[in-house]
């Protein structure tokens, strides 16, 4: 059954998300993303219940790689659960638009020096625990409020840059 879920998960982009999930059963959890910098898209079943599928983990690690250097990091599986819960909270099936996922230390330091202080020295992006997103059809403030209501990790609101930062660190908020 798990092998079938992995195969279906890898081929979900051609199926309607609801139909694909129904075929896998009530425990299937899916996510979909569009990367604003690479132009790539991904839609997959990432877990069955609380069990993240290894092939999905690998695919998401690659998709959320440092888009400046191409370095692939290990994304915290809790981040996928947070995003799944967030999409449910706002009632959207739209793909998340990704501004930034994983960042290698060299990229993070370069951005810190060129972005006027908007990048943390010990950013959770470097640990695969953070992502900067928006969700088409959901107002940025509503996305922020929904993320804060989950009480899962950090939530940063970057209105002028048009994204919300969410992470799996300690619960906090800014912006």
């Amino acid at each position: 059954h798990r092998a079938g879920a992995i195969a279906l998960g890898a081929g979900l982009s051609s199926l309607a998300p609801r139909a694909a999930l129904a075929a896998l059963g009530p425990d299937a959890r899916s996510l979909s993303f569009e990367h604003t910098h690479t132009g790539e898209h991904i839609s997959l079943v990432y877990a069955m219940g609380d069990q993240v599928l290894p092939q999905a983990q690998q695919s998401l690690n690659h998709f959320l790689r440092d888009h400046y250097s191409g370095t692939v990091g290990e994304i915290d599986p809790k981040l996928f659960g947070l995003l799944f819960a967030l999409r449910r909270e706002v009632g959207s099936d739209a793909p998340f638009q990704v501004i930034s996922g994983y960042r290698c230390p060299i990229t993070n330091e370069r951005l810190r020096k060129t972005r006027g202080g908007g990048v943390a020295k010990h950013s959770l992006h470097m640990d695969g625990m953070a992502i900067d997103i928006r969700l088409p059809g959901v107002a940025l403030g509503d996305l922020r409020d929904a993320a804060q209501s989950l009480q899962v990790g950090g939530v940063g609101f970057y209105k002028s840059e048009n994204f919300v930062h969410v992470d799996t660190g300690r619960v906090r908020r800014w912006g």
Side-chain angles (χ1 to χ4, degrees), residues 28-163:
R29 293 180 176 208
S30 70
L31 287 169
S32 54
F33 300 94
E34 301 171 350
H35 203 294
T36 62
H37 295 286
T38 67
E40 294 171 326
H41 302 261
I42 191 170
S43 183
L44 48 65
V45 170
Y46 76 92
M48 297 301 288
D50 292 333
Q51 188 67 40
V52 174
L53 303 172
Q55 182 178 341
Q57 176 78 48
Q58 286 182 334
S59 295
L60 289 168
N61 287 348
H62 181 264
F63 183 84
L64 296 171
R65 70 193 177 277
D66 182 326
H67 66 270
Y68 292 99
S69 70
T71 305
V72 176
E74 184 76 18
I75 304 300
D76 181 0
K78 292 178 192 160
L79 192 59
F80 307 142
L82 170 58
L83 293 169
F84 181 78
L86 182 55
R87 210 163 74 165
R88 269 201 168 155
E89 184 71 19
V90 298
S92 174
D93 282 334
F96 284 103
Q97 293 177 339
V98 177
I99 290 80
S100 184
Y102 173 77
R103 274 192 225 133
C104 73
I106 293 168
T107 295
N108 197 73
E109 187 58 25
R110 185 171 50 78
L111 292 175
R112 257 178 40 76
K113 291 179 177 176
T114 60
R115 296 284 162 97
V119 176
K121 185 173 188 170
H122 299 290
S123 172
L124 291 179
H125 285 275
M126 296 188 300
D127 297 323
M129 295 171 62
I131 190 168
D132 299 334
I133 53 166
R134 55 184 171 251
L135 196 56
V138 178
L140 209 58
D142 292 343
L143 187 61
R144 173 206 54 209
D145 294 349
Q148 289 174 347
S149 75
L150 295 173
Q151 293 287 300
V152 171
V155 180
F157 185 58
Y158 295 88
K159 186 174 183 175
S160 62
E161 291 90 354
N162 193 28
F163 70 84

Side-chain angles (χ1 to χ4, degrees), residues 1-10 24 48 53-55:
H1 188 274
R2 228 178 259 296
I6 292 170
L8 275 174
L24 290 173
M48 297 301 288
L53 303 172
Q55 182 178 341

